[in-house]
Amino acid sequence: MANLLDEMNGPVNQEGRDINVIEKRIPVTIGFGSVIFEIALWVLIPIGAAAWYLLLGQTQADGLKYLLCGCIGGVLPGVFFLFMKISAKNYFQQLEQRIQAEASNIDNYLEQRVQILQNVVGLVNRAVDLDKDVMKSVASLRSGGTIVNEENRSSVDAQVSNAFSRIAVQFEAYPELQAHNAIADAMQQNNYLQREITAARTVYNSRVTQWNTDIFDWPTKMIVAARQGYTTRIPFSVSAEVKAQARSKFF
């Protein structure tokens, strides 16, 4: 049998291909087959026991006893699956709290970067005329109260990164700025926080991937996810401008 993917003979896209995070939440849905599966766990064995009793059990001395045992014991798969669903629901609730905790870590680092950016702008603006786009970014962040949340997390990250990249250009061009200890310390703090954000984003995206995978794990988790109305979560992504900067020449 031939390989489904042949890296030697293509087809190959010579121009390459860019990828993007799709901003779409996919709801979990289950069909009628899952409903039948759940019902079968409760009634399949009791129905089989009843059918046996009607066909053969009436001629047996202990036929009625076997029928009762079959009916009582036959619901055990349903009971067992019920506890599995309770466990799955608890698992999703705990995982959701972990995702929120990881998102909170990103938000804390972002808020620190915003505060550092505002301090740096105040110091640098006294020495040189800053780019108007930098001032617009800072003004936008101030008007928003610098409170990072689910809706603006990626936007704040993009604004702060863009502003610091513009400041870094002027920081390198003006020796007097490099000699300013407060500005130099702030730029170092920004670099440290950016590394922490990168690490926190990796952990957050891993949790999101775990969630997005588990909610489609049939039967137990997928059934619970569908009944709870869960959807996939969107990983943390960067702006198109940051992607463009990553492709530019640094040296």
PDB file of all heavy atoms in Angstrom, residues 11-44:
ATOM      1  N   PRO A  11       2.298  16.468  -3.702  1.00  0.00           N
ATOM      2  CA  PRO A  11       2.532  17.828  -4.236  1.00  0.00           C
ATOM      3  C   PRO A  11       3.083  18.788  -3.183  1.00  0.00           C
ATOM      4  O   PRO A  11       2.791  18.641  -1.996  1.00  0.00           O
ATOM      5  CB  PRO A  11       1.137  18.268  -4.674  1.00  0.00           C
ATOM      6  CG  PRO A  11       0.212  17.495  -3.781  1.00  0.00           C
ATOM      7  CD  PRO A  11       0.860  16.164  -3.559  1.00  0.00           C
ATOM      8  N   VAL A  12       3.874  19.747  -3.618  1.00  0.00           N
ATOM      9  CA  VAL A  12       4.529  20.698  -2.732  1.00  0.00           C
ATOM     10  C   VAL A  12       4.176  22.115  -3.171  1.00  0.00           C
ATOM     11  O   VAL A  12       4.202  22.418  -4.368  1.00  0.00           O
ATOM     12  CB  VAL A  12       6.064  20.511  -2.748  1.00  0.00           C
ATOM     13  CG1 VAL A  12       6.728  21.564  -1.876  1.00  0.00           C
ATOM     14  CG2 VAL A  12       6.434  19.114  -2.274  1.00  0.00           C
ATOM     15  N   ASN A  13       3.844  22.962  -2.202  1.00  0.00           N
ATOM     16  CA  ASN A  13       3.591  24.377  -2.471  1.00  0.00           C
ATOM     17  C   ASN A  13       4.910  25.124  -2.340  1.00  0.00           C
ATOM     18  O   ASN A  13       5.398  25.370  -1.228  1.00  0.00           O
ATOM     19  CB  ASN A  13       2.555  24.921  -1.494  1.00  0.00           C
ATOM     20  CG  ASN A  13       2.187  26.364  -1.789  1.00  0.00           C
ATOM     21  OD1 ASN A  13       2.750  26.989  -2.680  1.00  0.00           O
ATOM     22  ND2 ASN A  13       1.234  26.906  -1.028  1.00  0.00           N
ATOM     23  N   GLN A  14       5.525  25.476  -3.457  1.00  0.00           N
ATOM     24  CA  GLN A  14       6.837  26.112  -3.445  1.00  0.00           C
ATOM     25  C   GLN A  14       6.813  27.497  -2.820  1.00  0.00           C
ATOM     26  O   GLN A  14       7.838  27.993  -2.344  1.00  0.00           O
ATOM     27  CB  GLN A  14       7.369  26.199  -4.886  1.00  0.00           C
ATOM     28  CG  GLN A  14       7.518  24.853  -5.582  1.00  0.00           C
ATOM     29  CD  GLN A  14       8.597  23.982  -4.967  1.00  0.00           C
ATOM     30  OE1 GLN A  14       9.432  24.479  -4.210  1.00  0.00           O
ATOM     31  NE2 GLN A  14       8.592  22.699  -5.278  1.00  0.00           N
ATOM     32  N   GLU A  15       5.674  28.149  -2.808  1.00  0.00           N
ATOM     33  CA  GLU A  15       5.566  29.501  -2.267  1.00  0.00           C
ATOM     34  C   GLU A  15       5.329  29.505  -0.753  1.00  0.00           C
ATOM     35  O   GLU A  15       5.348  30.555  -0.126  1.00  0.00           O
ATOM     36  CB  GLU A  15       4.437  30.252  -2.962  1.00  0.00           C
ATOM     37  CG  GLU A  15       4.664  30.440  -4.466  1.00  0.00           C
ATOM     38  CD  GLU A  15       3.514  31.169  -5.122  1.00  0.00           C
ATOM     39  OE1 GLU A  15       2.531  31.488  -4.407  1.00  0.00           O
ATOM     40  OE2 GLU A  15       3.598  31.437  -6.336  1.00  0.00           O
ATOM     41  N   GLY A  16       5.105  28.332  -0.179  1.00  0.00           N
ATOM     42  CA  GLY A  16       4.837  28.268   1.250  1.00  0.00           C
ATOM     43  C   GLY A  16       3.394  28.650   1.563  1.00  0.00           C
ATOM     44  O   GLY A  16       2.612  28.997   0.674  1.00  0.00           O
ATOM     45  N   ARG A  17       3.054  28.581   2.829  1.00  0.00           N
ATOM     46  CA  ARG A  17       1.679  28.888   3.225  1.00  0.00           C
ATOM     47  C   ARG A  17       1.674  29.460   4.634  1.00  0.00           C
ATOM     48  O   ARG A  17       2.307  28.910   5.536  1.00  0.00           O
ATOM     49  CB  ARG A  17       0.818  27.630   3.166  1.00  0.00           C
ATOM     50  CG  ARG A  17      -0.616  27.844   3.671  1.00  0.00           C
ATOM     51  CD  ARG A  17      -1.445  26.608   3.466  1.00  0.00           C
ATOM     52  NE  ARG A  17      -1.616  26.321   2.047  1.00  0.00           N
ATOM     53  CZ  ARG A  17      -2.147  25.195   1.576  1.00  0.00           C
ATOM     54  NH1 ARG A  17      -2.516  24.253   2.405  1.00  0.00           N
ATOM     55  NH2 ARG A  17      -2.280  25.030   0.278  1.00  0.00           N
ATOM     56  N   ASP A  18       0.990  30.566   4.802  1.00  0.00           N
ATOM     57  CA  ASP A  18       0.851  31.172   6.118  1.00  0.00           C
ATOM     58  C   ASP A  18      -0.356  30.561   6.827  1.00  0.00           C
ATOM     59  O   ASP A  18      -1.260  30.018   6.192  1.00  0.00           O
ATOM     60  CB  ASP A  18       0.673  32.688   5.982  1.00  0.00           C
ATOM     61  CG  ASP A  18       0.978  33.399   7.291  1.00  0.00           C
ATOM     62  OD1 ASP A  18       1.322  32.705   8.264  1.00  0.00           O
ATOM     63  OD2 ASP A  18       0.867  34.630   7.334  1.00  0.00           O
ATOM     64  N   ILE A  19      -0.360  30.642   8.136  1.00  0.00           N
ATOM     65  CA  ILE A  19      -1.469  30.107   8.916  1.00  0.00           C
ATOM     66  C   ILE A  19      -2.003  31.189   9.841  1.00  0.00           C
ATOM     67  O   ILE A  19      -1.286  32.123  10.209  1.00  0.00           O
ATOM     68  CB  ILE A  19      -1.045  28.869   9.740  1.00  0.00           C
ATOM     69  CG1 ILE A  19       0.118  29.231  10.679  1.00  0.00           C
ATOM     70  CG2 ILE A  19      -0.667  27.713   8.831  1.00  0.00           C
ATOM     71  CD1 ILE A  19       0.495  28.110  11.621  1.00  0.00           C
ATOM     72  N   ASN A  20      -3.251  31.052  10.215  1.00  0.00           N
ATOM     73  CA  ASN A  20      -3.891  32.005  11.106  1.00  0.00           C
ATOM     74  C   ASN A  20      -4.784  31.259  12.079  1.00  0.00           C
ATOM     75  O   ASN A  20      -5.249  30.146  11.810  1.00  0.00           O
ATOM     76  CB  ASN A  20      -4.747  33.013  10.309  1.00  0.00           C
ATOM     77  CG  ASN A  20      -3.911  33.857   9.365  1.00  0.00           C
ATOM     78  OD1 ASN A  20      -3.194  34.757   9.778  1.00  0.00           O
ATOM     79  ND2 ASN A  20      -3.995  33.546   8.080  1.00  0.00           N
ATOM     80  N   VAL A  21      -4.996  31.879  13.230  1.00  0.00           N
ATOM     81  CA  VAL A  21      -5.936  31.344  14.207  1.00  0.00           C
ATOM     82  C   VAL A  21      -7.346  31.739  13.785  1.00  0.00           C
ATOM     83  O   VAL A  21      -7.632  32.919  13.558  1.00  0.00           O
ATOM     84  CB  VAL A  21      -5.631  31.883  15.616  1.00  0.00           C
ATOM     85  CG1 VAL A  21      -6.689  31.408  16.605  1.00  0.00           C
ATOM     86  CG2 VAL A  21      -4.243  31.433  16.063  1.00  0.00           C
ATOM     87  N   ILE A  22      -8.216  30.770  13.632  1.00  0.00           N
ATOM     88  CA  ILE A  22      -9.585  31.028  13.192  1.00  0.00           C
ATOM     89  C   ILE A  22     -10.423  31.495  14.374  1.00  0.00           C
ATOM     90  O   ILE A  22     -10.531  30.796  15.389  1.00  0.00           O
ATOM     91  CB  ILE A  22     -10.207  29.763  12.563  1.00  0.00           C
ATOM     92  CG1 ILE A  22      -9.310  29.224  11.437  1.00  0.00           C
ATOM     93  CG2 ILE A  22     -11.603  30.070  12.038  1.00  0.00           C
ATOM     94  CD1 ILE A  22      -9.046  30.198  10.325  1.00  0.00           C
ATOM     95  N   GLU A  23     -10.998  32.683  14.243  1.00  0.00           N
ATOM     96  CA  GLU A  23     -11.836  33.244  15.303  1.00  0.00           C
ATOM     97  C   GLU A  23     -13.246  32.676  15.199  1.00  0.00           C
ATOM     98  O   GLU A  23     -14.186  33.370  14.784  1.00  0.00           O
ATOM     99  CB  GLU A  23     -11.855  34.775  15.196  1.00  0.00           C
ATOM    100  CG  GLU A  23     -10.536  35.449  15.503  1.00  0.00           C
ATOM    101  CD  GLU A  23     -10.290  35.564  16.996  1.00  0.00           C
ATOM    102  OE1 GLU A  23     -11.271  35.465  17.761  1.00  0.00           O
ATOM    103  OE2 GLU A  23      -9.131  35.734  17.391  1.00  0.00           O
ATOM    104  N   LYS A  24     -13.397  31.431  15.577  1.00  0.00           N
ATOM    105  CA  LYS A  24     -14.701  30.785  15.490  1.00  0.00           C
ATOM    106  C   LYS A  24     -14.859  29.778  16.609  1.00  0.00           C
ATOM    107  O   LYS A  24     -13.969  28.952  16.836  1.00  0.00           O
ATOM    108  CB  LYS A  24     -14.868  30.089  14.133  1.00  0.00           C
ATOM    109  CG  LYS A  24     -16.219  29.405  13.939  1.00  0.00           C
ATOM    110  CD  LYS A  24     -16.318  28.751  12.573  1.00  0.00           C
ATOM    111  CE  LYS A  24     -17.668  28.084  12.379  1.00  0.00           C
ATOM    112  NZ  LYS A  24     -17.779  27.422  11.062  1.00  0.00           N
ATOM    113  N   ARG A  25     -15.964  29.847  17.304  1.00  0.00           N
ATOM    114  CA  ARG A  25     -16.273  28.887  18.356  1.00  0.00           C
ATOM    115  C   ARG A  25     -17.194  27.797  17.780  1.00  0.00           C
ATOM    116  O   ARG A  25     -18.257  28.110  17.239  1.00  0.00           O
ATOM    117  CB  ARG A  25     -16.949  29.569  19.548  1.00  0.00           C
ATOM    118  CG  ARG A  25     -16.060  30.590  20.245  1.00  0.00           C
ATOM    119  CD  ARG A  25     -16.783  31.219  21.407  1.00  0.00           C
ATOM    120  NE  ARG A  25     -15.992  32.253  22.048  1.00  0.00           N
ATOM    121  CZ  ARG A  25     -15.144  32.029  23.053  1.00  0.00           C
ATOM    122  NH1 ARG A  25     -14.999  30.803  23.509  1.00  0.00           N
ATOM    123  NH2 ARG A  25     -14.455  33.017  23.585  1.00  0.00           N
ATOM    124  N   ILE A  26     -16.782  26.561  17.901  1.00  0.00           N
ATOM    125  CA  ILE A  26     -17.545  25.444  17.363  1.00  0.00           C
ATOM    126  C   ILE A  26     -18.324  24.788  18.501  1.00  0.00           C
ATOM    127  O   ILE A  26     -17.719  24.281  19.449  1.00  0.00           O
ATOM    128  CB  ILE A  26     -16.622  24.419  16.684  1.00  0.00           C
ATOM    129  CG1 ILE A  26     -15.803  25.086  15.579  1.00  0.00           C
ATOM    130  CG2 ILE A  26     -17.431  23.255  16.131  1.00  0.00           C
ATOM    131  CD1 ILE A  26     -14.780  24.174  14.942  1.00  0.00           C
ATOM    132  N   PRO A  27     -19.652  24.775  18.441  1.00  0.00           N
ATOM    133  CA  PRO A  27     -20.427  24.138  19.510  1.00  0.00           C
ATOM    134  C   PRO A  27     -20.355  22.617  19.423  1.00  0.00           C
ATOM    135  O   PRO A  27     -20.186  22.052  18.344  1.00  0.00           O
ATOM    136  CB  PRO A  27     -21.854  24.645  19.246  1.00  0.00           C
ATOM    137  CG  PRO A  27     -21.886  24.929  17.774  1.00  0.00           C
ATOM    138  CD  PRO A  27     -20.504  25.408  17.415  1.00  0.00           C
ATOM    139  N   VAL A  28     -20.475  21.977  20.562  1.00  0.00           N
ATOM    140  CA  VAL A  28     -20.484  20.510  20.616  1.00  0.00           C
ATOM    141  C   VAL A  28     -21.924  20.039  20.455  1.00  0.00           C
ATOM    142  O   VAL A  28     -22.818  20.462  21.189  1.00  0.00           O
ATOM    143  CB  VAL A  28     -19.900  19.996  21.936  1.00  0.00           C
ATOM    144  CG1 VAL A  28     -19.849  18.469  21.947  1.00  0.00           C
ATOM    145  CG2 VAL A  28     -18.511  20.566  22.165  1.00  0.00           C
ATOM    146  N   THR A  29     -22.146  19.171  19.496  1.00  0.00           N
ATOM    147  CA  THR A  29     -23.480  18.617  19.262  1.00  0.00           C
ATOM    148  C   THR A  29     -23.406  17.105  19.213  1.00  0.00           C
ATOM    149  O   THR A  29     -22.390  16.529  18.817  1.00  0.00           O
ATOM    150  CB  THR A  29     -24.079  19.141  17.941  1.00  0.00           C
ATOM    151  OG1 THR A  29     -23.201  18.792  16.855  1.00  0.00           O
ATOM    152  CG2 THR A  29     -24.247  20.655  17.980  1.00  0.00           C
ATOM    153  N   ILE A  30     -24.471  16.460  19.635  1.00  0.00           N
ATOM    154  CA  ILE A  30     -24.567  15.008  19.572  1.00  0.00           C
ATOM    155  C   ILE A  30     -25.823  14.633  18.804  1.00  0.00           C
ATOM    156  O   ILE A  30     -26.812  15.386  18.783  1.00  0.00           O
ATOM    157  CB  ILE A  30     -24.596  14.379  20.976  1.00  0.00           C
ATOM    158  CG1 ILE A  30     -25.732  14.982  21.811  1.00  0.00           C
ATOM    159  CG2 ILE A  30     -23.256  14.549  21.660  1.00  0.00           C
ATOM    160  CD1 ILE A  30     -25.885  14.332  23.179  1.00  0.00           C
ATOM    161  N   GLY A  31     -25.776  13.484  18.163  1.00  0.00           N
ATOM    162  CA  GLY A  31     -26.902  13.032  17.368  1.00  0.00           C
ATOM    163  C   GLY A  31     -27.810  12.075  18.117  1.00  0.00           C
ATOM    164  O   GLY A  31     -27.635  11.806  19.314  1.00  0.00           O
ATOM    165  N   PHE A  32     -28.766  11.528  17.393  1.00  0.00           N
ATOM    166  CA  PHE A  32     -29.726  10.612  17.989  1.00  0.00           C
ATOM    167  C   PHE A  32     -29.053   9.318  18.425  1.00  0.00           C
ATOM    168  O   PHE A  32     -29.520   8.640  19.345  1.00  0.00           O
ATOM    169  CB  PHE A  32     -30.839  10.310  16.982  1.00  0.00           C
ATOM    170  CG  PHE A  32     -31.984   9.531  17.558  1.00  0.00           C
ATOM    171  CD1 PHE A  32     -32.761  10.056  18.578  1.00  0.00           C
ATOM    172  CD2 PHE A  32     -32.272   8.260  17.100  1.00  0.00           C
ATOM    173  CE1 PHE A  32     -33.814   9.334  19.115  1.00  0.00           C
ATOM    174  CE2 PHE A  32     -33.318   7.539  17.625  1.00  0.00           C
ATOM    175  CZ  PHE A  32     -34.092   8.069  18.637  1.00  0.00           C
ATOM    176  N   GLY A  33     -27.929   8.988  17.788  1.00  0.00           N
ATOM    177  CA  GLY A  33     -27.218   7.773  18.160  1.00  0.00           C
ATOM    178  C   GLY A  33     -26.712   7.820  19.589  1.00  0.00           C
ATOM    179  O   GLY A  33     -26.702   6.788  20.284  1.00  0.00           O
ATOM    180  N   SER A  34     -26.283   8.989  20.050  1.00  0.00           N
ATOM    181  CA  SER A  34     -25.824   9.112  21.432  1.00  0.00           C
ATOM    182  C   SER A  34     -26.976   8.929  22.409  1.00  0.00           C
ATOM    183  O   SER A  34     -26.801   8.353  23.495  1.00  0.00           O
ATOM    184  CB  SER A  34     -25.168  10.490  21.648  1.00  0.00           C
ATOM    185  OG  SER A  34     -24.001  10.623  20.866  1.00  0.00           O
ATOM    186  N   VAL A  35     -28.156   9.408  22.046  1.00  0.00           N
ATOM    187  CA  VAL A  35     -29.338   9.218  22.896  1.00  0.00           C
ATOM    188  C   VAL A  35     -29.682   7.734  22.988  1.00  0.00           C
ATOM    189  O   VAL A  35     -29.970   7.211  24.073  1.00  0.00           O
ATOM    190  CB  VAL A  35     -30.531  10.021  22.353  1.00  0.00           C
ATOM    191  CG1 VAL A  35     -31.772   9.778  23.210  1.00  0.00           C
ATOM    192  CG2 VAL A  35     -30.195  11.509  22.294  1.00  0.00           C
ATOM    193  N   ILE A  36     -29.645   7.047  21.863  1.00  0.00           N
ATOM    194  CA  ILE A  36     -29.915   5.612  21.858  1.00  0.00           C
ATOM    195  C   ILE A  36     -28.887   4.872  22.708  1.00  0.00           C
ATOM    196  O   ILE A  36     -29.216   3.932  23.449  1.00  0.00           O
ATOM    197  CB  ILE A  36     -29.902   5.074  20.411  1.00  0.00           C
ATOM    198  CG1 ILE A  36     -31.072   5.677  19.624  1.00  0.00           C
ATOM    199  CG2 ILE A  36     -29.974   3.550  20.397  1.00  0.00           C
ATOM    200  CD1 ILE A  36     -31.106   5.253  18.178  1.00  0.00           C
ATOM    201  N   PHE A  37     -27.625   5.290  22.607  1.00  0.00           N
ATOM    202  CA  PHE A  37     -26.567   4.667  23.397  1.00  0.00           C
ATOM    203  C   PHE A  37     -26.849   4.791  24.885  1.00  0.00           C
ATOM    204  O   PHE A  37     -26.714   3.813  25.648  1.00  0.00           O
ATOM    205  CB  PHE A  37     -25.225   5.318  23.049  1.00  0.00           C
ATOM    206  CG  PHE A  37     -24.090   4.913  23.941  1.00  0.00           C
ATOM    207  CD1 PHE A  37     -23.467   3.684  23.775  1.00  0.00           C
ATOM    208  CD2 PHE A  37     -23.644   5.768  24.946  1.00  0.00           C
ATOM    209  CE1 PHE A  37     -22.417   3.311  24.609  1.00  0.00           C
ATOM    210  CE2 PHE A  37     -22.592   5.399  25.768  1.00  0.00           C
ATOM    211  CZ  PHE A  37     -21.982   4.166  25.595  1.00  0.00           C
ATOM    212  N   GLU A  38     -27.245   5.990  25.335  1.00  0.00           N
ATOM    213  CA  GLU A  38     -27.534   6.187  26.752  1.00  0.00           C
ATOM    214  C   GLU A  38     -28.735   5.362  27.203  1.00  0.00           C
ATOM    215  O   GLU A  38     -28.722   4.757  28.285  1.00  0.00           O
ATOM    216  CB  GLU A  38     -27.783   7.670  27.030  1.00  0.00           C
ATOM    217  CG  GLU A  38     -26.551   8.533  26.961  1.00  0.00           C
ATOM    218  CD  GLU A  38     -26.801   9.927  27.492  1.00  0.00           C
ATOM    219  OE1 GLU A  38     -26.637  10.150  28.699  1.00  0.00           O
ATOM    220  OE2 GLU A  38     -27.177  10.809  26.683  1.00  0.00           O
ATOM    221  N   ILE A  39     -29.771   5.306  26.376  1.00  0.00           N
ATOM    222  CA  ILE A  39     -30.964   4.526  26.735  1.00  0.00           C
ATOM    223  C   ILE A  39     -30.620   3.049  26.793  1.00  0.00           C
ATOM    224  O   ILE A  39     -31.074   2.315  27.688  1.00  0.00           O
ATOM    225  CB  ILE A  39     -32.096   4.799  25.731  1.00  0.00           C
ATOM    226  CG1 ILE A  39     -32.540   6.263  25.819  1.00  0.00           C
ATOM    227  CG2 ILE A  39     -33.274   3.870  25.986  1.00  0.00           C
ATOM    228  CD1 ILE A  39     -33.567   6.662  24.786  1.00  0.00           C
ATOM    229  N   ALA A  40     -29.806   2.605  25.846  1.00  0.00           N
ATOM    230  CA  ALA A  40     -29.448   1.190  25.785  1.00  0.00           C
ATOM    231  C   ALA A  40     -28.715   0.739  27.034  1.00  0.00           C
ATOM    232  O   ALA A  40     -28.865  -0.410  27.476  1.00  0.00           O
ATOM    233  CB  ALA A  40     -28.606   0.917  24.543  1.00  0.00           C
ATOM    234  N   LEU A  41     -27.916   1.611  27.610  1.00  0.00           N
ATOM    235  CA  LEU A  41     -27.187   1.251  28.822  1.00  0.00           C
ATOM    236  C   LEU A  41     -28.131   0.917  29.971  1.00  0.00           C
ATOM    237  O   LEU A  41     -27.797   0.106  30.846  1.00  0.00           O
ATOM    238  CB  LEU A  41     -26.249   2.389  29.238  1.00  0.00           C
ATOM    239  CG  LEU A  41     -25.055   2.664  28.315  1.00  0.00           C
ATOM    240  CD1 LEU A  41     -24.292   3.886  28.800  1.00  0.00           C
ATOM    241  CD2 LEU A  41     -24.128   1.456  28.261  1.00  0.00           C
ATOM    242  N   TRP A  42     -29.313   1.532  29.959  1.00  0.00           N
ATOM    243  CA  TRP A  42     -30.275   1.300  31.035  1.00  0.00           C
ATOM    244  C   TRP A  42     -31.201   0.114  30.749  1.00  0.00           C
ATOM    245  O   TRP A  42     -31.553  -0.621  31.687  1.00  0.00           O
ATOM    246  CB  TRP A  42     -31.129   2.556  31.255  1.00  0.00           C
ATOM    247  CG  TRP A  42     -30.390   3.701  31.858  1.00  0.00           C
ATOM    248  CD1 TRP A  42     -29.805   4.736  31.202  1.00  0.00           C
ATOM    249  CD2 TRP A  42     -30.153   3.930  33.241  1.00  0.00           C
ATOM    250  NE1 TRP A  42     -29.210   5.595  32.081  1.00  0.00           N
ATOM    251  CE2 TRP A  42     -29.401   5.129  33.350  1.00  0.00           C
ATOM    252  CE3 TRP A  42     -30.496   3.237  34.416  1.00  0.00           C
ATOM    253  CZ2 TRP A  42     -29.009   5.652  34.579  1.00  0.00           C
ATOM    254  CZ3 TRP A  42     -30.082   3.757  35.633  1.00  0.00           C
ATOM    255  CH2 TRP A  42     -29.352   4.945  35.705  1.00  0.00           C
ATOM    256  N   VAL A  43     -31.589  -0.088  29.508  1.00  0.00           N
ATOM    257  CA  VAL A  43     -32.683  -1.030  29.226  1.00  0.00           C
ATOM    258  C   VAL A  43     -32.260  -2.273  28.460  1.00  0.00           C
ATOM    259  O   VAL A  43     -33.036  -3.238  28.390  1.00  0.00           O
ATOM    260  CB  VAL A  43     -33.795  -0.318  28.440  1.00  0.00           C
ATOM    261  CG1 VAL A  43     -34.290   0.917  29.189  1.00  0.00           C
ATOM    262  CG2 VAL A  43     -33.327   0.072  27.039  1.00  0.00           C
ATOM    263  N   LEU A  44     -31.087  -2.298  27.871  1.00  0.00           N
ATOM    264  CA  LEU A  44     -30.731  -3.420  27.006  1.00  0.00           C
ATOM    265  C   LEU A  44     -30.707  -4.741  27.762  1.00  0.00           C
ATOM    266  O   LEU A  44     -31.316  -5.740  27.333  1.00  0.00           O
ATOM    267  CB  LEU A  44     -29.376  -3.164  26.347  1.00  0.00           C
ATOM    268  CG  LEU A  44     -28.971  -4.183  25.266  1.00  0.00           C
ATOM    269  CD1 LEU A  44     -29.987  -4.180  24.128  1.00  0.00           C
ATOM    270  CD2 LEU A  44     -27.571  -3.869  24.734  1.00  0.00           C
TER     271      LEU A  44
END
